[in-house]
Amino acid sequence: QVQLVESGGGLVQPGGSLRLSCAASGFTSGFTFSNYIMSWHRQAPEKERELVALIGTAGDATSYEGSVKGRFTISRDNGKNTVYLQMNSLKPEDTAVYYCRAVSPTSTVYWGQGTQVTVSS
């Protein structure tokens, strides 16, 4: 069973930066971390969960939700089984619980437990 553990959330002032990490483990069925498409999602209070950023298996293909383009960067280190989300120029509207997601080649989906990001002065 794949396990995803997020870290790096916290309280930051508007304009500040945070780097989220998602460490993955428990790979079986012949797949490794490098076979999984990874993404970050967020859910603000009373709102639906939304995709923030996605990265392909080799790390050379990325996509972003419109409001974070130019401010957030997703990356991965397949040697460390970890995906990152660098968040710069944070705004109060970025406040949410951020979740890591992994999708296997057979379309099995795994979620982390989430990490809280609060942007406030």
Side-chain angles (χ1 to χ4, degrees), residues 49-119:
R49 192 173 298 188
E50 64 175 355
L51 173 67
V52 174
L54 180 147
I55 188 165
T57 55
D60 55 349
T62 59
S63 64
Y64 297 91
E65 187 271 330
S67 70
V68 309
K69 283 183 180 178
R71 300 189 298 123
F72 291 11
T73 302
I74 188 171
S75 62
R76 67 191 294 163
D77 186 335
N78 286 343
K80 294 183 178 180
N81 291 358
T82 303
V83 62
Y84 306 97
L85 186 67
Q86 178 67 43
M87 306 186 294
N88 299 328
S89 302
L90 282 161
K91 304 175 181 180
E93 51 263 44
D94 295 318
T95 295
V97 178
Y98 283 71
Y99 297 90
C100 177
R101 186 183 78 165
V103 181
S104 78
T106 57
S107 300
T108 302
V109 178
Y110 301 94
W111 291 94
Q113 83 289 348
T115 185
Q116 176 70 47
V117 171
T118 302
V119 185

Side-chain angles (χ1 to χ4, degrees), residues 30-41:
F31 298 136
T32 65
F33 178 75
S34 63
N35 298 131
Y36 286 71
I37 294 173
M38 301 299 296
S39 55
W40 286 96
H41 303 248

